[in-house]
Amino acid sequence: MSLYLLALLAAAVSGVPGLFLRRRGGEVATGLLGLAALLGLTASFRVLAGGSGGTLALRTAALGAPGLLVFDPLAAFFAIPVLVLAFCGSLYGLGYWESRRGNTPALRLVFGWLTASLVMLVAASHALTFLLAWEGMAIAAFLLVMAEDREAETRRAGWIYLVATHTGTLILIAAFALLARTTGQYGFTALPAGLAASRGGTILFVLFLLGFGFKAGILPLHFWLPPAHAAAPSHVSALMSGVLLKMGILGIARLLSWVPDPPLWWGGTLVALGVLSGLLGVAFALGQHDLKRLLAYHSIENIGIILLGLGLGTLGKSQGNPVLQTLGYAGALLHVVNHSLFKGLLFLSAGSVLHATGTRDLERLGGLGQRMPWTAAAFLAGSWAICGLPPLNGFVSEWLIYVGAFRGLGLGRQAWPVVILLSLALIGALALACFAKAFGAVFLGLPRTEAGARAQEAPRVMLLPMGLLALACLAIGVAPLFLMPALGRVVDTLGPAGGSGLPSLPGLGAISGMALALGLLALLLWRWLRPGSREDGLPTWDCGYATPDARMQYTASSFADGLVRGLRWALWPVVHRPKVSGWFPRPARYEGHVPDPVLDRAAAPGLRFGVRGAALLRVAQGGALPVYLLYVLLTLLVLLVWMVA
Amino acid sequence: MLQFLLHGLTVLLLPPLLPGLIAKTKARMAGRQGPPVLQLYYDLAKLARKRAVYSRTTTWVFLAGPVGGVAAGLAASALVPFGHTPAPISFEGDVILFAYLFGLARFLTILSALDTGSSFEGMGAAREATFSALAEPALFLGFAALAKANASLSLGTMLAFPGSLTTRFTGPLILILAGWVIVYLAENSRIPVDDPNTHLELTMIHEVMVLDHSGRPFALVLYGASLKLLVLGALILTPALPRAAHAWQNWLAFYAALAGLAVGVGLVESSMARFRMTKVPQFLVAGVLATGFAFLLMLV
């Protein structure tokens, strides 16, 4: 516990020295975050290894049972991506942000606060600490999103985020109050059996799902997410997408851990939401031109995959099937960490692209692979992992969910296993198309602009964190077996199940073996290709045309056009198609984009309407002191009458 | 042990024969003599000795396609049983690894096509990505139906289980195989989805993606494509083959069936034209529907 608290402290104050130092403030902050990561990871590994009690608590007598902060295996597990990404993000920020912006010290301070709130949140075991950390995280993230508040787009994104996150928090406050009414205390304890199936349990589930859903970006509560991720500085986007969203998942996982007997429809709802978020998330990603928005929609997709796993586990729990419960929860929780690693990696490399070229527009990028080979390799590793392709880590977590769903097929006439299977397969195929498009448009072919042609590789301090994350992705993908004892302990916190059986899954060793064989084969083939004499420096054979140029390349929009058109019933793309007529048609412009249906068609108009309604209330707020005194008097009178009556 | 050795030798040596058989069938159907059945072996030997040409826009990703295609294909070949001879590697959930290895090969092939910056290759890559997204559900629905039938998640037991066509799973099995044949034709870029012999780049899918490959990289591309014919062929042949008493009979049955499959593909190619691009998704959806119905029948 003391290690954990020290980590919390180090993260919280990491930005403070920078306020007083004239130089090297960034290095000090990064050093402190590195220290926090070292301490926190040590604490995490100790708890996950099952040593020294496994659970550590900070108690105060007044607040009752579980204490304020409990560092149990679930907390330790979620703390890992928080600390890793915070350190990597801070290191990356040294090269990405330090040199050119004025508000750097403030940004560093808030970055530390965000990390500290997240570290506190994972272990919170009391409604008070949980909501405190939750709100701290929300506000810190808002301030970070607003880092470039000179741009109207950023201000809008920040504003939408603030509204969404506070709506979620309000719902959560109601949910915790209701929870306290049923259990009699604000500390987190197991709910009595039978409660979940009652009407009170239903209301609790819906409220928590809404509150946490806003944070996790579950469709249709995701609308704040793409603009906020696009507008935030890239290392902040990495932390937001990698960890902040996962706090919604942590909340849902905590809820599931309290409930001994979730009704069947809980799991069914989670699966349905997972299908919706997963499929529509990747479908909307396909339609994006903005690199960071595209990545943000993929976060929604991955939240969908995590929900599929959670739903599978919950269905297993309801039916008393420990195998499904273990496989589902293990897949979901491992995917939480995996997604943090590869999405962090992707956002950091997208940030390098933005840093080097000044644009996030896929149609204005291209050919960066030759000029920024390391960034390209990092982005490729991230894409590889996020598509769930072996031998990287995304495959392992999806594999666990797949195996669980296949096992579920044996349970008689139930529709959900095949729904999970099909969604995962389709999500995988669409994600592959989308990342082929993104990587191809940004890094392959010829540069489409002057800025792209002059792009320079990112400095080492930015490449280092990307390399660390890529290595972590590879390590989990090649040797998943080593993780399983720890993962089993985490899974067992969500309800007694066979978490200890995870390491004996026969496939895990075989996956490692296949990964090694794949690597070896690739190496051999590669060596066979290399020494062959070669002819360099010729143009691409464009079917006989000798001078192909960048404007003739296939664009990202063209690449995705077939799929976007096939999915237009869901995406509602907006297309401005010029009419070409006559023998000598005039120059024309084609334009197409996929707006977010929830934000642009429902939430934004709704908010505008709400603001107009709120304007009516302004009559009551004239600003004159006598009027306010009158209000106080009237309130007193009303209360008096009410008390007497 | 001997079985595994034979498995490995089959994977390494046999694949180039299959395109030769298909081409021979097509030639005979058209009343021509056609190239020798071993033509692809000659081509590979020649390409291995040739110099490779690299466009100045390409990076190392350009080579990742051929290398990844063959490496993933070889890895996947170890998971699939050849007829009723068990696969060298078999474990619960190997189905998923099998499918995703082909996903990996596709991903890298698409990227190496995009690396050239050519519009034609981009077009082919986009088509490949689009159409395979439709083929994936058909593959997995088939797996789900087979897993439902025999409560197994391992490719070996899943495919080898039906054995004979006399059980009550006959109907679903036929539907699964029908759906998978569609996937087979699409994944191997065969008529009616794609025409490997067309001379017009605008209408190609797979061939156009490798226009810029030459020399050894191109040899790998060709070998990888023929490997895919073999491995996916084993996937659709195994459930249809009867189980024999002796190992050598099983092997013989498998080789005969493989030759039959190649001839069958040749016959399909001779008897119909390539679909218009807009028709291809409908064809693939038919595969999804067939396997979907198979799954529904399994529930009854």
Side-chain angles (χ1 to χ4, degrees):
Chain A
M1 199 71 198
S2 52
L3 278 180
Y4 163 76
L5 288 175
L6 278 175
L8 181 62
L9 188 71
V13 302
S14 64
V16 175
L19 296 178
F20 307 106
L21 291 173
R22 224 163 244 283
R23 52 174 67 195
R24 300 271 159 218
E27 281 80 353
V28 172
T30 306
L32 278 170
L33 277 176
L35 182 70
L38 208 63
L39 294 170
L41 289 178
T42 313
S44 287
F45 290 146
R46 223 184 257 176
V47 169
L48 287 177
S52 67
T55 301
L56 294 157
L58 181 72
R59 286 179 210 282
T60 50
L63 286 169
L68 288 175
L69 297 170
V70 173
F71 201 57
D72 59 352
L74 192 62
F77 192 70
F78 272 83
I80 295 173
V82 171
L83 292 164
V84 170
L85 272 192
F87 172 66
C88 286
S90 176
L91 192 61
Y92 180 89
L94 289 180
Y96 182 69
W97 196 259
E98 297 284 314
S99 52
R100 35 187 203 136
R101 309 298 204 297
N103 53 0
T104 314
L107 195 77
R108 273 197 306 255
L109 187 70
V110 181
F111 195 84
W113 285 351
L114 178 60
T115 311
S117 319
L118 288 164
V119 171
M120 182 171 158
L121 184 63
V122 294
S125 63
H126 188 279
L128 190 70
T129 40
F130 191 92
L131 285 172
L132 212 64
W134 188 266
E135 196 54 17
M137 162 184 88
I139 304 249
F142 166 72
L143 293 174
L144 291 173
V145 170
M146 291 293 252
E148 286 175 291
D149 58 359
R150 269 159 306 182
E151 293 179 27
E153 190 199 342
T154 305
R155 288 198 299 274
R156 180 168 183 258
W159 177 240
I160 292 169
Y161 166 66
L162 198 65
V163 171
T165 184
H166 276 148
T167 313
T169 310
L170 271 180
I171 298 173
L172 279 184
I173 291 175
F176 278 119
L178 201 65
L179 185 71
R181 228 185 60 172
T182 40
T183 60
Q185 58 163 346
Y186 281 95
F188 294 170
T189 51
L191 295 177
L195 178 79
S198 69
R199 193 202 294 186
T202 303
I203 296 174
L204 264 181
F205 178 65
V206 171
L207 282 181
F208 272 121
L209 204 57
L210 280 175
F212 291 135
F214 263 112
K215 185 58 70 186
I218 298 173
L219 229 85
L221 307 175
H222 70 284
F223 55 84
W224 61 272
L225 200 152
H229 281 62
S234 295
H235 57 308
V236 175
S237 313
L239 198 61
M240 284 181 75
S241 179
V243 195
L244 202 82
L245 306 185
K246 304 302 162 25
M247 294 303 133
I249 297 297
L250 171 73
I252 296 174
R254 287 255 181 244
L255 174 67
L256 292 171
S257 72
W258 304 329
V259 181
D261 51 349
L264 265 181
W265 70 271
W266 283 29
T269 310
L270 289 175
V271 169
L273 287 174
V275 172
L276 192 72
S277 302
L279 286 177
L280 285 182
V282 67
F284 276 105
L286 271 168
Q288 304 304 316
H289 311 287
D290 180 326
L291 183 57
K292 285 175 75 178
R293 275 182 75 94
L294 180 144
L295 293 179
Y297 275 108
H298 272 286
S299 299
I300 300 170
E301 171 230 309
N302 278 278
I303 289 291
I305 294 176
I306 293 169
L307 285 178
L308 286 176
L310 280 181
L312 176 69
T314 308
L315 283 165
K317 196 174 178 181
S318 313
Q319 307 184 22
N321 187 329
V323 176
L324 290 194
Q325 184 182 341
T326 306
L327 286 171
Y329 285 156
L333 291 174
L334 187 57
H335 204 71
V336 166
V337 168
N338 286 345
H339 179 242
S340 305
L341 295 175
F342 55 65
K343 189 51 76 65
L345 177 59
L346 283 167
F347 265 116
L348 293 188
S349 29
S352 299
V353 170
L354 178 61
H355 189 74
T357 62
T359 181
R360 306 190 304 248
D361 189 349
L362 291 179
E363 313 295 19
R364 302 177 61 78
L365 291 162
L368 291 181
Q370 284 191 339
R371 282 149 205 87
M372 309 171 68
W374 292 105
T375 305
F379 196 93
L380 181 63
S383 314
W384 197 312
I386 201 173
C387 295
L389 299 173
L392 293 191
N393 59 352
F395 176 73
V396 179
S397 39
E398 289 191 27
W399 183 81
L400 285 170
I401 303 177
Y402 265 121
V403 172
F406 265 113
R407 288 257 181 113
L409 285 173
L411 285 183
R413 239 179 268 179
Q414 298 194 18
W416 52 267
V418 80
V419 169
I420 294 177
L421 278 181
L422 270 189
S423 318
L424 276 177
L426 208 54
I427 290 170
L430 290 175
L432 194 153
C434 192
F435 273 95
K437 159 188 139 169
F439 186 79
V442 176
F443 293 102
L444 303 177
L446 292 165
R448 292 184 173 86
T449 53
E450 269 299 303
R454 280 183 279 107
Q456 301 243 321
E457 180 60 284
R460 258 187 227 151
V461 68
M462 286 161 74
L463 290 175
L464 183 66
M466 293 194 243
L468 285 178
L469 292 172
L471 275 182
C473 289
L474 185 66
I476 297 181
V478 172
L481 202 55
F482 294 114
L483 278 178
M484 290 301 142
L487 191 61
R489 273 184 206 102
V490 181
V491 168
D492 281 347
T493 58
L494 295 189
S500 50
L502 267 181
S504 56
L505 273 180
L508 290 166
I511 287 177
S512 302
M514 290 296 279
L516 291 179
L518 197 65
L520 202 66
L521 278 172
L523 202 68
L524 283 176
L525 292 169
W526 194 270
R527 284 189 54 108
W528 186 65
L529 289 188
R530 290 317 285 186
S533 63
R534 49 185 291 169
E535 196 82 31
D536 274 312
L538 294 164
T540 293
W541 191 81
D542 216 19
C543 299
Y545 186 71
T547 50
D549 70 1
R551 288 182 57 206
M552 294 163 55
Q553 279 182 95
Y554 224 49
T555 60
S557 307
S558 324
F559 189 87
D561 187 57
L563 282 167
V564 169
R565 250 194 259 182
L567 293 165
R568 61 175 175 269
W569 48 271
L571 298 182
W572 303 348
V574 178
V575 176
H576 307 282
R577 201 185 299 274
K579 240 176 94 172
V580 180
S581 60
W583 293 102
F584 301 101
R586 295 201 295 180
R589 268 180 78 83
Y590 169 93
E591 225 180 288
H593 62 203
V594 175
D596 192 286
V598 180
L599 179 62
D600 295 328
R601 296 204 163 94
L607 276 179
R608 267 198 291 280
F609 185 76
V611 169
R612 227 176 292 145
L616 294 179
L617 291 175
R618 236 178 258 159
V619 180
Q621 193 135 19
L625 194 59
V627 181
Y628 291 150
L629 285 176
L630 186 66
Y631 291 158
V632 174
L633 192 67
L634 279 176
T635 314
L636 264 178
L637 273 176
V638 171
L639 281 176
L640 210 65
V641 171
W642 186 56
M643 297 284 269
V644 171
Chain B
M1 197 61 220
L2 200 65
Q3 303 276 355
F4 294 163
L5 202 65
L6 197 54
H7 193 103
L9 284 178
T10 308
V11 167
L12 286 176
L13 299 179
L14 190 69
L17 189 65
L18 298 175
L21 276 175
I22 296 175
K24 198 74 181 174
T25 312
K26 284 175 76 173
R28 279 294 153 82
M29 288 296 286
R32 290 182 284 117
Q33 184 63 36
V37 178
L38 299 180
Q39 183 61 44
L40 189 52
Y41 293 96
Y42 306 144
D43 288 351
L44 291 178
K46 185 180 69 185
L47 284 169
R49 278 182 281 113
K50 280 206 156 198
R51 281 205 298 176
V53 180
Y54 295 88
S55 150
R56 56 176 165 255
T57 52
T58 56
T59 57
W60 60 273
V61 176
F62 184 65
L63 293 181
V67 169
V70 173
L74 286 177
S77 74
L79 297 173
V80 69
F82 285 173
H84 288 277
T85 319
I89 299 173
S90 177
F91 57 92
E92 179 184 10
D94 56 2
V95 187
I96 302 139
L97 184 60
F98 180 80
Y100 273 63
L101 280 171
F102 281 106
L104 176 61
R106 189 191 317 139
F107 184 62
L108 293 176
T109 310
I110 290 175
L111 290 189
S112 75
L114 290 175
D115 200 18
T116 60
S118 152
S119 203
F120 292 107
E121 298 190 31
M123 211 178 284
R127 287 170 185 160
E128 173 92 352
T130 308
F131 296 151
S132 58
L134 285 167
E136 206 83 341
L139 189 64
F140 270 90
L141 271 171
F143 284 143
L146 285 175
K148 182 95 195 155
N150 64 348
S152 160
L153 314 183
S154 149
L155 210 49
T157 41
M158 194 184 268
L159 296 178
F161 138 80
S164 66
L165 289 174
T166 53
T167 58
R168 80 178 184 90
F169 300 115
T170 312
L173 191 61
I174 291 174
L175 280 173
I176 292 170
L177 291 182
W180 278 2
V181 165
I182 292 177
V183 173
Y184 186 73
L185 292 174
E187 284 287 317
N188 286 303
S189 337
R190 291 284 148 189
I191 290 176
V193 174
D194 187 8
D195 185 356
N197 290 338
T198 177
H199 62 279
L200 188 57
E201 293 87 353
L202 274 174
T203 65
M204 297 176 184
I205 299 174
H206 187 262
E207 297 305 304
V208 75
M209 289 168 68
V210 298
L211 277 180
D212 264 86
H213 290 281
S214 55
R216 287 187 172 186
F218 190 54
L220 283 190
V221 168
L222 289 179
Y223 175 71
S226 64
L227 187 62
K228 210 168 166 184
L229 273 173
L230 171 76
V231 175
L232 289 178
L235 185 74
I236 58 175
L237 288 178
T238 303
L241 280 175
R243 189 192 297 273
H246 297 286
W248 66 267
Q249 288 169 329
N250 279 329
W251 275 108
L252 217 61
F254 176 69
Y255 287 136
L258 208 57
L261 182 69
V263 173
V265 170
L267 290 179
V268 170
E269 295 222 323
S270 314
S271 58
M272 65 190 300
R274 194 180 58 75
F275 284 143
R276 251 169 51 215
M277 245 0 134
T278 47
K279 286 268 185 199
V280 172
Q282 298 172 17
F283 182 60
L284 289 169
V285 166
V288 178
L289 289 180
T291 45
F293 272 117
F295 183 77
L296 284 182
L297 283 178
M298 284 296 181
L299 287 181
V300 176

